[in-house]
Amino acid sequence: MSSNETTRRPIQILLRSKDAIELYTLPDTSSSSTTTSPTQGRVLYRGKSSFHVTSPAGDRVYVHDAAAGLLVRRLHVADDPPSESAFLPDSRSVLMAKCSPRGSYLLTWERTAGGDGDGRGNLKVWDASSGCLRKAVSCKKATLDTMQWTHDEELAFHLVTNEIHLYDAKDWRRLGKVRCSNASSFSLPSVRGYAKNAGPPPVGTATYLFTVFYPETKGKPARVDLLRYPDRMGRESSSVDSSSGPPLASKSLFRAEQATVHWSPRADSALLLTQTAVDSTGESYYGSTNLFLLLETDPKNPSQGAARPVPLPPEASKDSDGLVPIVAASWIPNPTVSGPVPFGVIAGKMPALASLHHGISGEPTFLMGRAHRNVMDVGPHGRFIVCGGYGNLAGGMDFWDRNKGKMIPRRVRVSSQNGRGEEEGAYVTLKEPRDLTITSSSPVVGHQWSPDGRTYLVSTTSPRMNVENGVHVYRYDGTLIDESKLPWDNDKYRPDKLLSAEYVPAPLVDDTINAEGETEFYYYPDRPQSPPPRSLLELKGDDATKALENIRQPRSNGKSPAVVAAYIPPAARAGGGGAYVPPGARRGTHRGTGLAERLRQEREGSAAALAGKKVVQRTGPVGAASVGPVGSDPDAKSKNALRREKQRLAKEKAEKEAAEAERRKKEEEEARAEANKLDPEKRAKKLKKTLKQIDEIKAKADQGIQLNEDQKMKLASEEELRKELASLGL
């Protein structure tokens, strides 16, 4: 893969509406870009389509036309003539389709018309290049999950009643079976990467992890098994090469009717999210949830796997049963990170707490604060993270840099005057969380990071939302790209014509070792935050404060800020009349109790107090003894932080003790002076007694007896006491 940016495929967006399927190239979105005229889009298909499927390599899209069948369009062949003939024969009745992990095969499902229709089955595997039928089986349930491939497409797994059949994906030769009575689902990782300085195993020695989920039956709890082909698929399972041993790990699950598996990018561990359809406590519309971590290798017993609950931060709010509801869970998708691959969790009652966790122990390592969020989207390189509140939430978004452990500062361009009174370009940097949190102007249905991790797409689509359909694109720091710079017109999709919007995937990169000894995993390079533009002046000091105040104030129009006070009845207003201000928009001394006002208080108040908090001194299993900031060496960072904290506390203690000693000394001097004035003889008698004690202490010191602190202080005060006695004149 060339390192020259110009040779890489541009970032493209595929939009499917009720009228057509269009391909657009996203222009340069950097803040320093001078591009003003967007490029024209390309119509791939004109007419009404049932659905579409994009290949994992982003080189073709399969479009289903109810009248013609499944069509194919090549995305990067400009002179490719659109064919109206079906790519797959007799595919008009197809209702759903998906590609295999590397795009070599296409899987379709259709309803049967009297038995198995053509007698070959209704779940069909096609060659994605030629359109030839490779395999057909029967599947009564409308799902594509019963047929799955390994990440390298060497094997195919097919779930039937009480068994999983294993096939060689090239010739569909039967290789074995997995006995799994009453199993309802299974899961295979679709991607497998490797750590730095590592690569794929030698040919013929690869193993494949997969999970099998068993729902509750006849009073028995649900269960999940972590299995490995070919040696740990269960004692009743077998392959053509060898017999099989017990599962790597098995976990009984309570309150588990459904299970969703999220595989790590290294395919050696997984997150299991279990859920019930109804919450017995009545506190959640979505049912009760639990989260478990499945490991191929148990740190305490390397010959076995592990299945353990994920320890959630104690700061997460619990329900009435003492359980923490799980809102979302997601892995950092970069397998080349140093150490175990971490994962993120949003948990707790709203406002929920977002946190990052250690990939082996599951211990929380970094808290991202509480907010009304239900989605954690991680960029393809694992650097940038968006925590969003979509669906029935207000659409708030927080953009984080995982490597730096803080929200990404955003630069807002403003106008400024130089010393000659001329206007010049300038910008102010937003750093406060209340300034960095943004809210989408329309309800968010679709959301996705671009393959290069530099932009983030949100869309409002039908039929979920039948108003304000359109697509908006944000830079990685949360800056909204102006619609005039985008190549499509959102107005033509309104109110309800847009069906989907998605980025075209990046080309696949083989798992090979490059010249630097690192694994090639990404087509686009991992880039940090861009530096400030040199052509603009950054406002600082009073100028920046004034600009920030203008940005923060609500605006009633495009020019001047609107200063909104508490509501005053018309009869009590000076001059009478005036515009009505809704309670939720009032920012005076009176605080509204509406949802908008409570959300604002949550962002600016105590709900944001946990944002950016590093979890240290948390004892746990391997890898979690001392957890430091995200994106760096946990041990080194935590030790430095503890050392600095210890030095600061010691300095504060010394300063406090010195101030206290000075205060006591001053009080004693004032007390002695007052006593001398009232009764000199009594004071003289007391001084003589103290001097006698000092003489005794001196005698002890001459004998070699060690003195304590009080005795040393008395000796130090001898000269001062004798002067005071002499001043009494007795």
Side-chain angles (χ1 to χ4, degrees):
M1 183 180 66
S2 173
S3 60
N4 190 352
E5 290 287 343
T6 60
T7 63
R8 291 194 175 93
R9 181 192 298 174
I11 302 299
Q12 295 178 309
I13 294 180
L14 194 68
L15 303 183
R16 184 170 75 91
S17 65
K18 295 180 179 179
D19 302 326
I21 296 181
E22 300 159 300
L23 180 68
Y24 293 97
T25 299
L26 197 66
D28 184 7
T29 59
S30 62
S31 58
S32 59
S33 173
T34 57
T35 302
T36 56
S37 57
T39 58
Q40 297 296 321
R42 174 187 167 195
V43 178
L44 300 176
Y45 171 83
R46 194 175 298 278
K48 185 178 180 180
S49 58
S50 305
F51 63 87
H52 77 281
V53 179
T54 307
S55 66
D59 57 348
R60 65 186 68 185
V61 59
Y62 303 93
V63 183
H64 185 264
D65 186 321
L70 203 64
L71 313 175
V72 63
R73 295 289 187 268
R74 290 170 175 80
L75 301 182
H76 307 291
V77 181
D79 56 351
D80 182 34
S83 174
E84 300 303 327
S85 59
F87 176 66
L88 303 182
D90 301 325
S91 56
R92 290 187 297 273
S93 58
V94 170
L95 296 181
M96 58 183 72
K98 75 173 183 180
C99 292
S100 58
R102 301 191 69 84
S104 302
Y105 306 101
L106 189 64
L107 181 66
T108 63
W109 184 90
E110 58 192 76
R111 287 196 179 95
T112 58
D116 287 342
D118 57 7
R120 295 181 297 181
N122 61 327
L123 186 65
K124 301 178 181 180
V125 180
W126 308 82
D127 189 295
S129 299
S130 62
C132 297
L133 182 66
R134 302 295 302 275
K135 182 73 173 178
V137 295
S138 298
C139 180
K140 296 181 179 179
K141 191 176 180 180
T143 179
L144 298 172
D145 294 335
T146 57
M147 180 76 71
Q148 298 182 36
W149 284 265
T150 55
H151 69 277
D152 54 5
E153 297 183 349
E154 291 292 327
L155 304 178
F157 289 53
H158 179 219
L159 176 63
V160 297
T161 305
N162 297 330
E163 288 182 347
I164 298 177
H165 294 169
L166 280 61
Y167 297 93
D168 186 320
K170 296 181 178 61
D171 55 11
W172 291 93
R173 176 172 50 93
R174 183 84 169 268
L175 298 180
K177 66 178 181 179
V178 178
R179 184 67 179 175
C180 49
S181 301
N182 300 319
S184 63
S185 63
F186 74 103
S187 177
L188 279 162
S190 59
V191 176
R192 182 174 184 178
Y194 302 92
K196 289 185 178 180
N197 304 322
V203 178
T205 62
T207 59
Y208 305 97
L209 291 185
F210 62 102
T211 62
V212 180
F213 175 70
Y214 305 83
E216 299 177 359
T217 54
K218 299 180 180 179
K220 295 182 179 179
R223 188 177 91 249
V224 65
D225 288 342
L226 179 63
L227 308 174
R228 183 175 64 197
Y229 174 88
D231 58 335
R232 302 294 292 271
M233 300 189 299
R235 298 190 184 279
E236 297 183 7
S237 305
S238 62
S239 65
V240 295
D241 299 326
S242 62
S243 58
S244 177
L248 288 170
S250 184
K251 181 70 175 178
S252 296
L253 307 171
F254 298 91
R255 296 183 179 179
E257 299 176 1
Q258 303 173 3
T260 304
V261 179
H262 302 279
W263 288 96
S264 78
R266 294 178 186 168
D268 58 355
S269 55
L271 291 173
L272 177 71
L273 178 62
T274 64
Q275 185 175 354
T276 59
V278 179
D279 184 10
S280 59
T281 65
E283 295 188 4
S284 173
Y285 173 79
Y286 302 99
S288 58
T289 54
N290 289 284
L291 186 64
F292 300 89
L293 179 61
L294 309 179
L295 301 174
E296 180 181 13
T297 304
D298 188 345
K300 297 181 179 179
N301 187 1
S303 63
Q304 298 292 330
R308 57 170 70 104
V310 173
L312 299 173
E315 294 85 355
S317 54
K318 301 179 181 180
D319 58 21
S320 58
D321 286 351
L323 302 176
V324 178
I326 307 298
V327 181
S330 177
W331 286 93
I332 302 301
N334 189 349
T336 63
V337 298
S338 59
V341 180
F343 60 90
V345 178
I346 299 179
K349 297 170 61 177
M350 291 294 169
L353 176 64
S355 55
L356 295 178
H357 293 248
H358 193 273
I360 293 180
S361 68
E363 289 285 338
T365 61
F366 188 79
L367 304 183
M368 305 171 74
R370 290 195 186 98
H372 286 77
R373 305 290 182 262
N374 57 1
V375 170
M376 180 179 289
D377 283 337
V378 186
H381 302 93
R383 178 184 293 272
F384 302 130
I385 300 176
V386 171
C387 294
Y390 306 145
N392 59 349
L393 297 181
M397 292 180 283
D398 300 323
F399 289 77
W400 287 80
D401 188 327
R402 185 185 66 88
N403 291 9
K404 294 182 177 297
K406 59 180 66 176
M407 294 181 70
I408 304 174
R410 187 162 61 252
R411 304 179 186 96
V412 178
R413 188 165 182 172
V414 296
S415 60
S416 177
Q417 291 186 348
N418 56 24
R420 298 184 299 272
E422 301 171 345
E423 285 197 0
E424 61 180 358
Y427 69 91
V428 62
T429 303
L430 305 182
K431 298 180 180 180
E432 296 294 331
R434 61 172 179 168
D435 298 326
L436 296 177
T437 297
I438 60 177
T439 302
S440 174
S441 59
S442 57
V444 176
V445 178
H447 44 91
Q448 182 187 11
W449 277 102
S450 63
D452 64 350
R454 307 303 291 181
T455 57
Y456 184 72
L457 175 151
V458 297
S459 61
T460 305
T461 58
S462 178
R464 175 66 176 83
M465 294 298 297
N466 291 322
V467 293
E468 293 298 322
N469 282 191
V471 181
H472 301 280
V473 180
Y474 294 83
R475 296 183 68 238
Y476 65 88
D477 61 354
T479 302
L480 178 64
I481 299 176
D482 191 87
E483 290 191 19
S484 62
K485 295 184 178 181
L486 300 177
W488 61 86
D489 183 8
N490 282 326
D491 289 337
K492 74 176 185 179
Y493 301 118
R494 294 181 175 131
D496 60 349
K497 294 183 179 180
L498 186 63
L499 300 176
S500 67
E502 62 185 39
Y503 283 106
V504 174
L508 297 177
V509 179
D510 294 331
D511 298 324
T512 57
I513 306 299
N514 60 19
E516 288 76 20
E518 297 179 351
T519 304
E520 288 281 0
F521 188 75
Y522 290 106
Y523 179 78
Y524 297 100
D526 180 17
R527 295 167 52 195
Q529 299 179 33
S530 300
R534 296 182 179 179
S535 59
L536 300 179
L537 173 68
E538 181 180 10
L539 298 182
K540 295 182 179 180
D542 294 339
D543 293 336
T545 302
K546 184 177 179 180
L548 288 174
E549 291 177 353
N550 292 334
I551 293 173
R552 290 168 181 166
Q553 288 180 354
R555 296 177 181 269
S556 60
N557 51 50
K559 297 182 180 180
S560 60
V563 181
V564 182
Y567 172 73
I568 301 175
R573 296 172 189 164
Y580 170 72
V581 179
R586 298 167 191 165
R587 296 292 300 273
T589 55
H590 171 73
R591 294 290 185 178
T593 58
L595 176 61
E597 178 66 16
R598 285 186 279 119
L599 287 175
R600 186 195 65 78
Q601 293 180 10
E602 171 238 312
R603 289 195 298 266
E604 300 178 4
S606 59
L610 294 174
K613 180 180 179 182
K614 303 168 186 176
V615 182
V616 296
Q617 294 181 315
R618 191 181 296 279
T619 304
V622 175
S626 180
V627 184
V630 61
S632 59
D633 184 0
D635 294 331
K637 287 291 184 179
S638 61
K639 289 179 180 178
N640 291 337
L642 290 174
R643 176 178 55 79
R644 289 192 297 268
E645 181 71 13
K646 186 177 180 180
Q647 292 175 349
R648 183 182 63 82
L649 293 176
K651 183 178 179 181
E652 292 178 356
K653 182 179 179 181
E655 293 175 351
K656 185 177 181 180
E657 290 178 350
E660 182 67 19
E662 184 68 22
R663 185 187 61 82
R664 287 200 303 267
K665 182 179 180 180
K666 186 176 181 181
E667 290 179 352
E668 290 175 357
E669 290 177 353
E670 293 176 353
R672 285 198 298 268
E674 187 68 22
N676 293 343
K677 294 178 182 179
L678 296 178
D679 192 347
E681 293 183 357
K682 186 176 181 181
R683 178 60 181 169
K685 184 177 180 181
K686 186 175 181 180
L687 290 174
K688 291 178 181 179
K689 182 178 179 181
T690 304
L691 291 172
K692 183 179 180 182
Q693 293 175 351
I694 291 176
D695 293 337
E696 294 175 354
I697 293 174
K698 286 182 179 180
K700 291 181 179 180
D702 294 339
Q703 296 175 7
I705 300 176
Q706 188 174 2
L707 305 180
N708 57 33
E709 292 298 326
D710 291 339
Q711 291 172 333
K712 292 178 180 179
M713 290 178 63
K714 280 188 177 182
L715 287 178
S717 63
E718 179 182 7
E719 183 178 355
E720 184 178 352
L721 296 178
R722 293 193 182 278
K723 288 182 179 180
E724 183 181 355
L725 181 61
S727 65
L728 296 177
L730 298 177

